[in-house]
Amino acid sequence: MTIYIEPLAKLVNELSKLPGIGARSAQRLAYHIIEQSDTDITALVEAIASAHDEICFCQVCQGLSDGPTCSICSDDSRDHGVICVVAGTRDIPAMERSGEFNGVYHVLHGVISPSDNVGPDDIRLRELLARLADDNVREVILATNPDITGEATAMYIARLIKPMGIKVTRIAHGIPVGAELEYTDEVTLARAMLGRREL
Amino acid sequence: MTIYIEPLAKLVNELSKLPGIGARSAQRLAYHIIEQSDTDITALVEAIASAHDEICFCQVCQGLSDGPTCSICSDDSRDHGVICVVAGTRDIPAMERSGEFNGVYHVLHGVISPSDNVGPDDIRLRELLARLADDNVREVILATNPDITGEATAMYIARLIKPMGIKVTRIAHGIPVGAELEYTDEVTLARAMLGRREL
């Protein structure tokens, strides 16, 4: 690609580092940015800078927050007796969209994965155990992904927590709503069969 | 979408205004930005700001430039006797990638389109005519898009320039290289037939 203007080339380079932005998209975005008004660009630049500077981790659930405690953890209308454990901060908005959960969260910031040299001490498991010791927690829902490391992490945590007398559950895996049986992969189908419930 | 952190919501909103970035991509980008190091974010923010601030239009060809005259117009090794007329600044890197052109450019910043109230005075046609009066221009290649307004603009400019005794050409339209005849649309095929050359 021949881009002969230094600031444009730099911008394309920075934009193409973003996830899901290839060389073509980066170029299109760069031209768009150049053509925008000063106000629009100031808004974009400030949004990036302030999101990056102001957002930290909630000291309770380790999720994203713009203060010491996030809005979910400081919400008294939510059930603090049920903790949903997720691998990453992005899983919280996904779960919130479902509207099915009114408890609180705990973000592990990763999963146990020996092949990547990630052990139990490398994820925020200690923080979870501290919450279980202090709080009046009745149930821990393990909502890590249904892949090998996600499953292994869920099993590991379950074995740690069960002796404490706390109910430990795992979210259900099965055929996505709206999907067709014919086109569902075999692993999901197997899970759906194993997880069948009596009607 | 439930995003409960103000700076994050603002960032997602700003990002989703960008072309080709939907709500999902904006959210993914926002999380990525939050997780980046200070250095990476500073580089991104500075690249956006400086590209927007430093890039202006070349006073000769009206293309993007980081100085009064762009690198193409100030390049003596290029043939300043051949001007390729394009509709937008983005057409220049596209043409440069082809490696087939060693002349200079002129960016119209639009095409004549009566239905959009864009007349000959609303595009940078006067600047093109000024260049033709001064320079030793031998050929003007009209490279506007092969759509109705692009064609009409090319015809309009051709009729203006021909009386000056300058050669006026139009880039060829036909079947894209690598495309299959079977799947080529009929308008392109018609163009390919009309533009056939003797071998």
Side-chain angles (χ1 to χ4, degrees), chain A residues 88-144:
Chain A
T89 55
R90 301 163 199 222
D91 298 325
I92 297 183
M95 199 61 87
E96 286 293 287
R97 273 197 294 277
S98 79
E100 264 311 307
F101 183 64
N102 194 39
V104 290
Y105 294 94
H106 189 85
V107 183
L108 295 173
H109 291 272
V111 283
I112 299 169
S113 171
S115 62
D116 299 318
N117 273 322
V118 181
D121 289 335
D122 301 317
I123 60 175
R124 306 208 179 178
L125 196 51
R126 212 177 300 122
E127 289 84 347
L128 175 63
L129 297 177
R131 287 175 75 181
L132 300 182
D134 279 355
D135 289 344
N136 220 338
V137 178
R138 303 186 311 279
E139 182 178 353
V140 170
I141 303 170
L142 300 170
T144 50

Side-chain angles (χ1 to χ4, degrees), chain A residues 24-55:
Chain A
R24 288 251 159 170
S25 313
Q27 201 176 342
R28 191 175 43 172
L29 284 175
Y31 275 98
H32 173 88
I33 285 169
I34 289 168
E35 289 161 2
Q36 289 310 289
S37 71
D38 284 353
T39 333
D40 286 346
I41 292 306
T42 311
L44 174 64
V45 162
E46 277 176 6
I48 292 173
S50 65
H52 184 254
D53 293 345
E54 291 168 23
I55 294 177

Side-chain angles (χ1 to χ4, degrees), chain B residues 123-192:
Chain B
I123 60 176
R124 305 207 178 177
L125 195 51
R126 212 177 301 122
E127 289 84 350
L128 175 62
L129 297 178
R131 287 176 77 181
L132 299 182
D134 279 355
D135 290 343
N136 221 339
V137 178
R138 302 185 313 276
E139 181 178 355
V140 170
I141 303 171
L142 299 170
T144 51
N145 282 327
D147 51 19
I148 296 173
T149 50
E151 284 294 340
T153 306
M155 290 308 121
Y156 183 91
I157 298 175
R159 240 181 298 167
L160 271 183
I161 296 177
K162 267 186 180 167
M164 297 178 180
I166 298 167
K167 186 177 167 189
V168 182
T169 56
R170 181 99 175 96
I171 50 164
H173 299 111
I175 304 167
V177 178
E180 285 176 60
L181 209 101
E182 188 181 346
Y183 302 114
T184 306
D185 69 282
E186 60 276 20
V187 185
T188 304
L189 269 182
R191 283 306 202 89

Side-chain angles (χ1 to χ4, degrees), chain B residues 75-160:
Chain B
D75 183 350
D76 287 336
S77 74
R78 297 188 72 121
D79 185 352
H80 287 249
V82 183
I83 297 180
C84 175
V85 177
V86 293
T89 55
R90 301 163 199 222
D91 298 325
I92 297 183
M95 200 61 88
E96 285 293 287
R97 275 197 294 277
S98 78
E100 264 311 307
F101 183 64
N102 194 39
V104 290
Y105 293 93
H106 189 85
V107 182
L108 294 173
H109 289 273
V111 284
I112 299 170
S113 171
S115 63
D116 300 317
N117 274 323
V118 180
D121 289 334
D122 301 316
I123 60 176
R124 305 207 178 177
L125 195 51
R126 212 177 301 122
E127 289 84 350
L128 175 62
L129 297 178
R131 287 176 77 181
L132 299 182
D134 279 355
D135 290 343
N136 221 339
V137 178
R138 302 185 313 276
E139 181 178 355
V140 170
I141 303 171
L142 299 170
T144 51
N145 282 327
D147 51 19
I148 296 173
T149 50
E151 284 294 340
T153 306
M155 290 308 121
Y156 183 91
I157 298 175
R159 240 181 298 167
L160 271 183

Side-chain angles (χ1 to χ4, degrees), chain A residues 1-8 10-11 14-15 17-21 24 27-29 31-38 40-41 43-45 47-55 64-66 70-72 89-90 92-94 96-97, chain B residues 1-8 10-11 14-15 17-21 24 27-29 31-38 40-41 43-45 47-55 64-66 70-72 89-90 92-94 96-97:
Chain A
M1 203 175 325
T2 324
I3 296 178
Y4 40 87
I5 308 166
E6 179 66 19
L8 181 60
K10 263 192 190 163
L11 178 56
E14 285 301 326
L15 291 172
K17 289 180 190 168
L18 297 172
I21 309 282
R24 288 251 159 170
Q27 201 176 342
R28 191 175 43 172
L29 284 175
Y31 275 98
H32 173 88
I33 285 169
I34 289 168
E35 289 161 2
Q36 289 310 289
S37 71
D38 284 353
D40 286 346
I41 292 306
L44 174 64
V45 162
I48 292 173
S50 65
H52 184 254
D53 293 345
E54 291 168 23
I55 294 177
L64 296 179
S65 173
D66 52 356
C70 76
S71 59
I72 294 179
T89 55
R90 301 163 199 222
I92 297 183
E96 286 293 287
R97 273 197 294 277
Chain B
M1 203 176 327
T2 324
I3 297 178
Y4 41 87
I5 308 167
E6 180 66 20
L8 181 59
K10 262 191 189 162
L11 178 56
E14 286 300 326
L15 291 172
K17 289 180 189 168
L18 297 173
I21 309 282
R24 289 252 158 168
Q27 202 176 342
R28 191 175 43 172
L29 284 175
Y31 275 97
H32 173 86
I33 285 169
I34 290 167
E35 289 161 2
Q36 289 309 289
S37 71
D38 284 353
D40 286 347
I41 292 306
L44 175 64
V45 162
I48 292 174
S50 65
H52 186 255
D53 294 345
E54 291 169 23
I55 294 177
L64 297 180
S65 174
D66 53 354
C70 77
S71 60
I72 293 179
T89 55
R90 301 163 199 222
I92 297 183
E96 285 293 287
R97 275 197 294 277

